[in-house]
Amino acid sequence: MTRLAGLIDMDLVGFDSPELFLRYSRRDESSCLILNLHCHDHEGFIQQCRLAAEASPPVVFICGHEDVAAAVRALKSGAVELLTLPIDPIDLAEAVLTAFALDRRQRRHRAARESLRQRHELLTPREREVLPLVAKGLMNKQAAAVLGISETTLQIHRSQVMRKMQADSVAELVRIAATLHIPVWSDTDSDTGDFPSLELLATLRDRWS
């Protein structure tokens, strides 16, 4: 590991067990977890697989040649890379840099989701009812009928939703709703009219991504 630190400008922190790592207060910067696979310690192996599955931070596994079968199972849990002993420092450095890049992307995505969640909390209960209707693609008259309010009132709520969620278009609102896992409104949720059959929210999100 000291050779790795010489190849990459990074700090190394050692842990004797997964429990010690979980109690560690992680700094707000890119990182990865390098695990020496404990294939012969079933409980430890399960803990390591769980850490890899959570992927925060991303995991790089190291194992002996005789442990490859179990290591493949661990790799399927979500680890970034699997390296066998003896370790080539260059291979390890490349794996760590890949993990760092993944960690940066995951951190950005988590920050973006948290920002959207905070915006959603600013909505009033009525505005939270309006959002999935607008994201579904209902016209103002249709959405107003679903909620039993006037079209003018619906337009006011819709404007507030777009403003508070910082959405410049319905397509952007669809992406936001999908990111926050807001349930899509279904025609079967209301008996106020024969509304058009539209594609699912996730499909719309993919189309406009």
Side-chain angles (χ1 to χ4, degrees), residues 113-152:
R113 285 197 300 270
E114 177 60 20
S115 176
L116 293 177
R117 188 191 63 79
Q118 291 177 357
R119 294 181 208 172
H120 187 256
E121 288 184 349
L122 296 176
L123 301 181
T124 65
R126 177 62 84 184
E127 289 165 357
R128 293 182 186 181
E129 293 176 335
V130 168
L131 191 157
L133 299 178
V134 175
K136 179 69 174 180
L138 269 64
M139 303 297 290
N140 290 337
K141 182 178 181 179
Q142 295 170 326
V146 170
L147 297 177
I149 59 179
S150 70
E151 187 174 350
T152 298

Side-chain angles (χ1 to χ4, degrees), residues 12-145:
L12 297 176
V13 181
F15 304 97
D16 293 329
S17 69
E19 292 81 7
L20 290 176
F21 166 74
L22 292 172
R23 291 200 294 267
Y24 178 70
S25 180
R26 181 182 171 192
R27 291 187 293 184
D28 187 23
E29 58 188 21
S30 297
S31 61
C32 77
L33 180 61
I34 301 174
L35 289 176
N36 188 1
L37 200 59
H38 290 252
C39 296
H40 304 297
D41 176 359
H42 181 71
E43 183 176 346
F45 176 73
I46 295 301
Q47 287 180 313
Q48 290 180 324
C49 288
R50 188 177 298 117
L51 289 176
E54 293 173 356
S56 181
V59 172
V60 174
F61 274 123
I62 294 176
C63 72
H65 286 285
E66 70 279 4
D67 296 324
V68 171
V72 169
R73 174 186 168 191
L75 189 60
K76 290 180 178 179
S77 298
V80 174
E81 185 60 90
L82 169 65
L83 301 174
T84 56
L85 297 171
I87 298 298
D88 184 328
I90 299 298
D91 291 340
L92 181 55
E94 290 178 350
V96 168
L97 290 175
T98 298
F100 281 175
L102 175 60
D103 189 44
R104 284 193 293 269
R105 291 195 300 272
Q106 291 176 338
R107 284 153 50 82
R108 284 196 299 267
H109 291 162
R110 286 195 294 270
R113 285 197 300 270
E114 177 60 20
S115 176
L116 293 177
R117 188 191 63 79
Q118 291 177 357
R119 294 181 208 172
H120 187 256
E121 288 184 349
L122 296 176
L123 301 181
T124 65
R126 177 62 84 184
E127 289 165 357
R128 293 182 186 181
E129 293 176 335
V130 168
L131 191 157
L133 299 178
V134 175
K136 179 69 174 180
L138 269 64
M139 303 297 290
N140 290 337
K141 182 178 181 179
Q142 295 170 326

Side-chain angles (χ1 to χ4, degrees), residues 161-185:
V161 168
M162 300 296 283
R163 180 184 65 82
K164 292 180 181 180
M165 298 307 298
Q166 300 178 27
D168 297 327
S169 65
V170 173
E172 177 64 18
L173 192 66
V174 168
R175 285 195 293 269
I176 291 173
T179 300
L180 293 176
H181 302 292
I182 295 174
V184 63
W185 180 83

